[in-house]
PDB file of all heavy atoms in Angstrom:
ATOM      1  N   GLU A 679     -18.906  14.098   4.035  1.00 98.00           N
ATOM      2  CA  GLU A 679     -19.184  13.920   5.517  1.00 98.00           C
ATOM      3  C   GLU A 679     -18.916  15.152   6.319  1.00 98.00           C
ATOM      4  O   GLU A 679     -19.694  15.591   7.149  1.00 98.00           O
ATOM      5  CB  GLU A 679     -18.336  12.723   6.058  1.00 98.00           C
ATOM      6  CG  GLU A 679     -18.765  11.324   5.644  1.00 98.00           C
ATOM      7  CD  GLU A 679     -20.203  11.110   6.132  1.00 98.00           C
ATOM      8  OE1 GLU A 679     -20.404  11.099   7.406  1.00 98.00           O
ATOM      9  OE2 GLU A 679     -21.033  10.846   5.312  1.00 98.00           O
ATOM     10  N   LEU A 680     -17.867  15.856   5.894  1.00 98.00           N
ATOM     11  CA  LEU A 680     -17.462  17.072   6.616  1.00 98.00           C
ATOM     12  C   LEU A 680     -18.579  18.100   6.332  1.00 98.00           C
ATOM     13  O   LEU A 680     -18.881  18.906   7.278  1.00 98.00           O
ATOM     14  CB  LEU A 680     -16.063  17.576   6.186  1.00 98.00           C
ATOM     15  CG  LEU A 680     -14.925  16.692   6.625  1.00 98.00           C
ATOM     16  CD1 LEU A 680     -13.600  17.036   5.964  1.00 98.00           C
ATOM     17  CD2 LEU A 680     -14.742  16.807   8.201  1.00 98.00           C
ATOM     18  N   ILE A 681     -18.963  18.245   5.091  1.00 98.00           N
ATOM     19  CA  ILE A 681     -19.997  19.171   4.720  1.00 98.00           C
ATOM     20  C   ILE A 681     -21.399  18.913   5.434  1.00 98.00           C
ATOM     21  O   ILE A 681     -22.053  19.856   5.954  1.00 98.00           O
ATOM     22  CB  ILE A 681     -20.202  19.219   3.210  1.00 98.00           C
ATOM     23  CG1 ILE A 681     -18.942  19.741   2.523  1.00 98.00           C
ATOM     24  CG2 ILE A 681     -21.440  20.037   2.767  1.00 98.00           C
ATOM     25  CD1 ILE A 681     -18.914  19.445   1.022  1.00 98.00           C
ATOM     26  N   LYS A 682     -21.675  17.575   5.532  1.00 98.00           N
ATOM     27  CA  LYS A 682     -22.937  17.224   6.158  1.00 98.00           C
ATOM     28  C   LYS A 682     -23.026  17.689   7.610  1.00 98.00           C
ATOM     29  O   LYS A 682     -24.102  18.186   8.027  1.00 98.00           O
ATOM     30  CB  LYS A 682     -22.949  15.666   6.133  1.00 98.00           C
ATOM     31  CG  LYS A 682     -24.196  15.017   6.912  1.00 98.00           C
ATOM     32  CD  LYS A 682     -24.072  13.586   6.803  1.00 98.00           C
ATOM     33  CE  LYS A 682     -25.249  12.847   7.489  1.00 98.00           C
ATOM     34  NZ  LYS A 682     -25.147  11.428   7.428  1.00 98.00           N
ATOM     35  N   TYR A 683     -21.933  17.754   8.280  1.00 98.00           N
ATOM     36  CA  TYR A 683     -21.896  18.191   9.719  1.00 98.00           C
ATOM     37  C   TYR A 683     -21.328  19.557   9.949  1.00 98.00           C
ATOM     38  O   TYR A 683     -21.045  19.968  11.033  1.00 98.00           O
ATOM     39  CB  TYR A 683     -21.060  17.188  10.500  1.00 98.00           C
ATOM     40  CG  TYR A 683     -21.749  15.800  10.662  1.00 98.00           C
ATOM     41  CD1 TYR A 683     -21.346  14.803   9.836  1.00 98.00           C
ATOM     42  CD2 TYR A 683     -22.877  15.573  11.478  1.00 98.00           C
ATOM     43  CE1 TYR A 683     -21.846  13.574   9.830  1.00 98.00           C
ATOM     44  CE2 TYR A 683     -23.361  14.293  11.480  1.00 98.00           C
ATOM     45  CZ  TYR A 683     -22.984  13.256  10.650  1.00 98.00           C
ATOM     46  OH  TYR A 683     -23.566  12.029  10.734  1.00 98.00           O
ATOM     47  N   ASN A 684     -21.298  20.320   8.776  1.00 98.00           N
ATOM     48  CA  ASN A 684     -20.833  21.718   8.771  1.00 98.00           C
ATOM     49  C   ASN A 684     -19.418  21.799   9.462  1.00 98.00           C
ATOM     50  O   ASN A 684     -19.152  22.745  10.260  1.00 98.00           O
ATOM     51  CB  ASN A 684     -21.801  22.567   9.506  1.00 98.00           C
ATOM     52  CG  ASN A 684     -21.469  24.081   9.296  1.00 98.00           C
ATOM     53  OD1 ASN A 684     -20.832  24.513   8.378  1.00 98.00           O
ATOM     54  ND2 ASN A 684     -22.002  24.946  10.190  1.00 98.00           N
ATOM     55  N   ARG A 685     -18.540  20.946   9.155  1.00 98.00           N
ATOM     56  CA  ARG A 685     -17.116  20.956   9.734  1.00 98.00           C
ATOM     57  C   ARG A 685     -16.327  21.589   8.645  1.00 98.00           C
ATOM     58  O   ARG A 685     -16.108  21.227   7.528  1.00 98.00           O
ATOM     59  CB  ARG A 685     -16.669  19.561  10.006  1.00 98.00           C
ATOM     60  CG  ARG A 685     -17.381  18.830  11.118  1.00 98.00           C
ATOM     61  CD  ARG A 685     -17.267  19.550  12.329  1.00 98.00           C
ATOM     62  NE  ARG A 685     -17.953  18.811  13.493  1.00 98.00           N
ATOM     63  CZ  ARG A 685     -19.094  19.184  13.899  1.00 98.00           C
ATOM     64  NH1 ARG A 685     -19.733  20.274  13.433  1.00 98.00           N
ATOM     65  NH2 ARG A 685     -19.637  18.517  14.915  1.00 98.00           N
ATOM     66  N   GLN A 686     -15.803  22.830   9.006  1.00 98.00           N
ATOM     67  CA  GLN A 686     -15.027  23.640   7.968  1.00 98.00           C
ATOM     68  C   GLN A 686     -13.577  23.103   7.861  1.00 98.00           C
ATOM     69  O   GLN A 686     -12.979  22.656   8.846  1.00 98.00           O
ATOM     70  CB  GLN A 686     -14.928  25.044   8.560  1.00 98.00           C
ATOM     71  CG  GLN A 686     -16.423  25.769   8.645  1.00 98.00           C
ATOM     72  CD  GLN A 686     -17.061  25.772   7.295  1.00 98.00           C
ATOM     73  OE1 GLN A 686     -16.487  26.273   6.323  1.00 98.00           O
ATOM     74  NE2 GLN A 686     -18.254  25.349   7.219  1.00 98.00           N
ATOM     75  N   PHE A 687     -13.086  23.147   6.626  1.00 98.00           N
ATOM     76  CA  PHE A 687     -11.778  22.616   6.356  1.00 98.00           C
ATOM     77  C   PHE A 687     -11.267  23.268   5.034  1.00 98.00           C
ATOM     78  O   PHE A 687     -12.035  23.976   4.402  1.00 98.00           O
ATOM     79  CB  PHE A 687     -11.825  21.103   6.203  1.00 98.00           C
ATOM     80  CG  PHE A 687     -12.557  20.663   4.896  1.00 98.00           C
ATOM     81  CD1 PHE A 687     -11.982  20.325   3.769  1.00 98.00           C
ATOM     82  CD2 PHE A 687     -13.979  20.563   5.011  1.00 98.00           C
ATOM     83  CE1 PHE A 687     -12.717  19.940   2.655  1.00 98.00           C
ATOM     84  CE2 PHE A 687     -14.734  20.173   3.940  1.00 98.00           C
ATOM     85  CZ  PHE A 687     -14.096  19.855   2.731  1.00 98.00           C
ATOM     86  N   GLN A 688      -9.951  23.002   4.811  1.00 98.00           N
ATOM     87  CA  GLN A 688      -9.405  23.547   3.515  1.00 98.00           C
ATOM     88  C   GLN A 688      -8.921  22.407   2.777  1.00 98.00           C
ATOM     89  O   GLN A 688      -8.487  21.301   3.334  1.00 98.00           O
ATOM     90  CB  GLN A 688      -8.320  24.571   3.831  1.00 98.00           C
ATOM     91  CG  GLN A 688      -8.789  25.819   4.429  1.00 98.00           C
ATOM     92  CD  GLN A 688      -7.651  26.853   4.596  1.00 98.00           C
ATOM     93  OE1 GLN A 688      -6.785  27.007   3.737  1.00 98.00           O
ATOM     94  NE2 GLN A 688      -7.685  27.607   5.764  1.00 98.00           N
ATOM     95  N   MET A 689      -8.982  22.420   1.448  1.00 98.00           N
ATOM     96  CA  MET A 689      -8.522  21.420   0.581  1.00 98.00           C
ATOM     97  C   MET A 689      -7.760  21.950  -0.650  1.00 98.00           C
ATOM     98  O   MET A 689      -7.950  23.119  -1.033  1.00 98.00           O
ATOM     99  CB  MET A 689      -9.663  20.557   0.114  1.00 98.00           C
ATOM    100  CG  MET A 689     -10.725  21.199  -0.760  1.00 98.00           C
ATOM    101  SD  MET A 689     -10.411  21.427  -2.401  1.00 98.00           S
ATOM    102  CE  MET A 689     -10.524  19.859  -3.026  1.00 98.00           C
ATOM    103  N   MET A 690      -6.923  21.118  -1.214  1.00 98.00           N
ATOM    104  CA  MET A 690      -6.191  21.387  -2.408  1.00 98.00           C
ATOM    105  C   MET A 690      -6.126  20.134  -3.291  1.00 98.00           C
ATOM    106  O   MET A 690      -5.602  19.069  -2.812  1.00 98.00           O
ATOM    107  CB  MET A 690      -4.738  21.904  -2.130  1.00 98.00           C
ATOM    108  CG  MET A 690      -3.876  22.130  -3.313  1.00 98.00           C
ATOM    109  SD  MET A 690      -4.493  23.513  -4.403  1.00 98.00           S
ATOM    110  CE  MET A 690      -3.561  23.240  -5.900  1.00 98.00           C
ATOM    111  N   SER A 691      -6.671  20.204  -4.473  1.00 98.00           N
ATOM    112  CA  SER A 691      -6.566  19.102  -5.408  1.00 98.00           C
ATOM    113  C   SER A 691      -5.528  19.423  -6.435  1.00 98.00           C
ATOM    114  O   SER A 691      -5.498  20.534  -6.957  1.00 98.00           O
ATOM    115  CB  SER A 691      -7.899  18.771  -6.047  1.00 98.00           C
ATOM    116  OG  SER A 691      -8.371  19.839  -6.847  1.00 98.00           O
TER     117      SER A 691
END
Side-chain angles (χ1 to χ4, degrees):
E679 287 298 300
L680 293 168
I681 293 166
K682 177 181 177 180
Y683 294 101
N684 193 24
R685 297 297 183 255
Q686 298 298 309
F687 65 99
Q688 295 186 35
M689 59 83 69
M690 175 67 196
S691 63

